[in-house]
Amino acid sequence: MSDVIKLVSPVDGSVYAERPALDEAAVEKIVSAARSAQAGWAATPIAERVALCMKALEALKAMNDDVVPELAWQMGRPVRYGGELGGTVERTEYCASIAADALADIERTDKPGFKRYLRRVPLGIVMVIAPWNYPFMTAINTIMPALMAGNAVVLKHAAQTLLVGERLAQAFETAGLPKGVFQNIVLTHSGTEKLLGSGLIDHVNFTGSVAGGRAIEKALAGTFATLGLELGGKDPAYVRADADLDYAIGNLVDGAFYNAGQCCCGIERVYVHESQFDRFVDGFVDLTKQYQLGNPLDEATTLGPMAQARFAAWVREQTDEALRKGAKAHIDMSAFSENKDGTPYLAPQVLTDVNHQMSVMREESFGPVVGIMKVKDDEEALQFMNDSPYGLTASIWTEDVEAAAQIGDRIETGTVFMNRCDYLDPALVWTGVKETGKGAALSEIGFHNLTRPKSFHFRVDH
């Protein structure tokens, strides 16, 4: 009997889908097919590879009306937000627009009598281990540039979003991608570890927890496969004295609570200049109270359930600990009728009188809670922003571009925003520092991480 992977919906606790996990023989067959197909795919002109990826994007567009409610059932995002097609299109189109230049040979012409150039060649088989929170966009970040660069891709999606891998496979099949170039697989944790340790995979990209990243590094040990990791985050925002307060409030509330706070680069902690603090908190709380917690299939719902009850339990635990240590809660949870202990339905919460001895300001919450602290100046804000084991993004809210650049230079993070947050720009590299991980996605650097450099040194005059 094979193991069965079950997808339990956060909407009502029902089993929404279940699939048998592949056994070792089936996995070897899939990887063998990928290896066989990859050589021919790499020999296909870049323009043709890009065109087929764009056809797959068109297929994803065509199925979006079905995908949106599927996502609500799988991981709880309200249907009113329309799924992930916008970001998927933006990232794929940008990758397509730069692929030829990013992968072009680099000529060295300074030495007469020689022909010398550097070429980017595909790594081979790229395995994408994708998370449930943005199941299309996080996967697309690697899948599209990997395919455009000439790699074969094997996708192992999170159990919570089983159907996303099938949708992507369907899109590439509709597009006419050669057999074996893209394959979706269903595996247990132990099955995944066996595949990683087999030496059959050339590159792995993983988005998920720090513990998951460590387990993957351990499983890959000795295989010499390259690895990209995007792990935990505790992304800060700093609201300076000169910030446009209403603009900052509107964006930061959305940045904290969109997708029930289950965003890799969501806002989890806010530092506000003392001159703005009271007004900021008042506005932030007022806007937070306007959320409608409920069934994500209801168009009126603006805050859906978290993906699993245990995730909500962790956020409740963090909040309770903060309150025991003296934090002040600004949201009456009972005002949200759907908020119930033991379920994934969790009301948003805003905390003040918090400090860095509290888990809610130090450890990733990945849910709808945010702590707000008062600071006296840029230096104090910097100290707090950097007091974290993570470093994915940080945002600065100010009208002073030069000040933002100077502060940003000193923040230990992968991306610095000014007057925006919770966004991936496909023209810029997506990367993290410290326990957030290593490697990079998007931009031309993303292409470089999915290829290896090869030198050609020809003496033509002898």
Side-chain angles (χ1 to χ4, degrees), residues 146-454:
L147 291 173
M148 292 176 189
N151 298 286
V153 172
V154 174
L155 170 65
K156 186 268 173 192
H157 224 299
Q160 196 67 46
T161 39
L162 273 178
L163 302 187
V164 173
E166 294 178 4
R167 286 292 187 180
L168 288 165
Q170 180 186 342
F172 284 113
E173 184 177 358
T174 300
L177 202 72
K179 296 282 187 190
V181 173
F182 176 89
Q183 295 174 91
N184 175 58
I185 60 175
V186 178
L187 288 176
T188 61
H189 286 309
S190 63
T192 302
E193 288 178 0
K194 281 182 183 176
L195 176 54
L196 294 174
S198 69
L200 297 173
I201 302 297
D202 300 299
H203 176 83
V204 177
N205 185 272
F206 171 72
T207 303
S209 69
V210 174
R214 289 196 175 108
I216 286 170
E217 277 203 320
K218 185 176 179 181
L220 284 172
T223 68
F224 306 124
T226 52
L227 176 61
L229 297 171
E230 187 206 314
L231 309 176
K234 193 73 186 171
D235 289 8
Y238 171 37
V239 181
R240 297 182 80 237
D242 68 334
D244 179 332
L245 211 57
D246 290 339
Y247 181 78
I249 289 167
N251 281 272
L252 287 172
V253 169
D254 181 69
F257 300 129
Y258 185 80
N259 208 37
Q262 299 168 129
C263 302
C264 302
C265 55
I267 297 298
E268 296 215 356
R269 51 200 175 106
V270 183
Y271 306 100
V272 183
H273 189 272
E274 58 190 9
S275 65
Q276 296 269 41
F277 185 79
D278 290 339
R279 286 201 304 133
F280 179 87
V281 171
D282 288 345
F284 198 100
V285 169
D286 286 346
L287 193 52
T288 300
K289 288 178 179 177
Q290 295 176 30
Y291 276 93
Q292 298 292 318
L293 175 65
N295 188 317
L297 297 160
D298 184 342
E299 285 284 349
T301 296
T302 55
L303 187 72
M306 296 187 69
Q308 294 183 21
R310 65 184 177 92
F311 300 154
W314 164 245
V315 178
R316 289 186 171 102
E317 183 182 322
Q318 281 191 312
T319 303
D320 290 345
E321 183 231 30
L323 295 176
R324 288 195 303 270
K325 291 183 176 179
K328 178 182 179 181
H330 290 263
I331 303 298
D332 177 6
M333 308 287 270
S334 67
F336 294 81
S337 60
E338 294 296 321
N339 178 74
K340 293 182 178 68
D341 285 351
T343 78
Y345 288 87
L346 176 63
Q349 185 55 274
V350 181
L351 302 172
T352 57
D353 295 337
V354 288
N355 58 56
H356 277 225
Q357 281 67 57
M358 298 173 182
S359 168
V360 77
M361 297 301 285
R362 294 277 303 162
E363 298 178 61
E364 185 173 37
S365 301
F366 218 61
V369 62
V370 64
I372 307 176
M373 286 178 65
K374 183 187 299 184
V375 294
K376 64 179 184 294
D377 56 24
D378 293 348
E379 286 300 318
E380 188 173 35
L382 261 168
Q383 177 186 340
F384 284 129
M385 283 192 283
N386 285 338
D387 182 28
S388 172
Y390 306 109
L392 184 58
T393 80
S395 64
I396 304 163
W397 301 80
T398 179
E399 300 303 298
D400 189 333
V401 177
E402 185 176 337
Q406 290 176 353
I407 296 166
D409 270 340
R410 297 170 61 195
I411 302 175
E412 297 161 356
T413 191
T415 295
V416 179
F417 293 110
M418 186 186 89
N419 296 338
R420 85 175 309 176
C421 62
D422 193 26
Y423 173 73
L424 276 70
D425 184 337
L428 299 175
V429 68
W430 189 246
T431 187
V433 299
K434 299 191 281 190
E435 289 191 8
T436 290
K438 64 181 181 180
L442 304 177
S443 77
E444 65 273 20
I445 296 173
F447 276 104
H448 294 170
N449 276 315
L450 294 164
T451 53
R452 64 177 177 85
K454 184 174 183 178

